[in-house]
Amino acid sequence: MSDPNVVLDDLRAEGEELDRLVGALGPGEWGRGTAASGWSIAHQIAHLAWTDRAALLAVTDAVAFAAEVEKAAASPETFVDEGAEAGARLEPGELLATWRRGRERLAEALVAAPAGARFPWYGPPMSTASMATGRLMETWAHGQDVWDALGRTREPTDRLRHVARIGVRARDFAFAVRGLAAPAEEFRVELTGPSGLWTYGPEDAAQRVTGPALDFCLLVTQRIHRSDTAVRAHGPDADRWLDIAQAFAGPAGPGRAPKGA
């Protein structure tokens, strides 16, 4: 189990890094398109603000959050886009301030959460550490779209270990959300991160996934097509997983097209 304090510190750092990037943008740059179809930089930040608000409700008001889940169930294919569109219509300064306030309020609520607490979510219930990890994963992934839209390259950090971990733990969910039976046995996952080798699963597992941690994180957040990564599967079930992997809750994502397609 992740230490909530470590994850919370890294979540704050991830948000601050993206904040420094978008905080320096001129008003006209917020409308620049990103790799997500129909989404501008403003949509990416609006989505993070919207999801932080949902997470805050999950942590502090389960009844209000249940109402949000009902709204999502009523329009499962559009509710995410609708939330992003509403926020993207705000003036950039107001949107940035809204995102900042939401991040701070959520951080305060997670710090104050009692030990052992479990919170409802759009997927399985979350612990404090899991909720913080999920928010870090989303911040990193949507931040990647912003960095790419601006033609900027960011250096990977050891904060990626949280994204990798949730990607590994979400393996069975990726199968289930597509109506597929998950493999019965665990895989061995070996990833090369900025600080060295990160490993998950039994050493003697019959099937393995290996490669750069950055590529794996881009793959499980569906920011890159599998063919554009150096991640490799060893075994038929592991190979199938890499085609459908997703670290986020909700319906199966469409993924990204191969470069040059």
Side-chain angles (χ1 to χ4, degrees), residues 14-15 17-19 21-22 34 39 41 44-45 47-48 99 135-154 218 221 223 256:
E14 195 66 42
E17 181 183 59
L18 180 56
D19 194 313
L21 180 67
V22 298
T34 70
W39 279 33
I41 290 174
Q44 300 287 350
I45 300 303
H47 173 72
L48 291 176
W99 178 47
R135 298 311 310 129
L136 188 154
M137 177 269 294
E138 285 244 354
T139 303
W140 179 82
H142 289 280
Q144 185 65 49
D145 287 341
V146 175
W147 282 85
D148 289 344
L150 294 170
R152 302 276 296 277
T153 301
R154 61 175 170 180
L218 291 169
T221 56
R223 261 55 193 177
R256 297 280 166 86

Side-chain angles (χ1 to χ4, degrees), residues 12-69:
R12 185 180 296 275
E14 195 66 42
E16 289 173 349
E17 181 183 59
L18 180 56
D19 194 313
R20 287 191 294 272
L21 180 67
V22 298
L25 296 179
E29 293 180 284
W30 285 76
R32 184 176 299 191
T34 70
S37 179
W39 279 33
S40 65
I41 290 174
H43 285 83
Q44 300 287 350
I45 300 303
H47 173 72
L48 291 176
W50 177 87
T51 318
D52 284 345
R53 175 184 173 274
L56 180 64
L57 287 178
V59 173
T60 62
D61 190 339
V63 173
F65 179 74
E68 293 297 312
V69 173

Side-chain angles (χ1 to χ4, degrees), residues 152-206:
R152 302 276 296 277
T153 301
R154 61 175 170 180
E155 290 298 317
T157 74
D158 278 344
R159 295 193 297 272
L160 284 177
R161 70 190 186 276
H162 303 298
V163 183
R165 182 173 181 272
I166 200 171
V168 171
R169 289 173 61 86
R171 185 200 73 168
D172 290 1
F173 176 77
F175 281 89
V177 78
R178 290 164 176 80
L180 303 172
E185 73 276 9
E186 291 186 69
F187 300 157
R188 175 71 167 182
V189 179
E190 299 178 348
L191 305 174
T192 304
S195 63
L197 186 66
W198 302 341
T199 61
Y200 311 86
E203 289 187 45
D204 61 351

